[in-house]
Amino acid sequence: PGLPPPPLGDWLESREPALLAACARAARVGRLEGHLRTLERLLEHPDRDVREAALLGALVAGSGRAWTVCQEQALDPCEVHPRSMV
């Protein structure tokens, strides 16, 4: 069960990185199924804060795509991704 996802709708389509990151964090509350596709899309966002927020939410939801991104980041020899190494 759990709570329904917060009504983030259009907010998750914003061009403002700070707002997107906040919405991605808020999407982790309740059932994530309603936001999973958007979170997976945000894994490719140019802003690191947005990607990290989306990664955590998508991992919690059991996303295979997020798991793959997490593994790639953890093994990246050129850039450190602390959250992906946990």
Side-chain angles (χ1 to χ4, degrees), residues 15-63:
R15 292 180 180 258
E16 175 59 42
L19 179 58
L20 273 177
C23 287
R25 286 189 293 275
R28 295 193 305 249
V29 177
R31 286 181 244 135
L32 288 166
E33 298 85 22
H35 299 306
L36 183 55
R37 287 182 130 172
T38 303
L39 291 173
E40 287 179 331
R41 182 177 46 79
L42 292 176
L43 294 173
E44 306 299 325
H45 195 275
D47 186 88
R48 184 178 183 142
D49 289 338
V50 173
R51 291 192 310 270
E52 288 180 355
L55 180 63
L56 291 176
L59 283 171
V60 168
S63 166

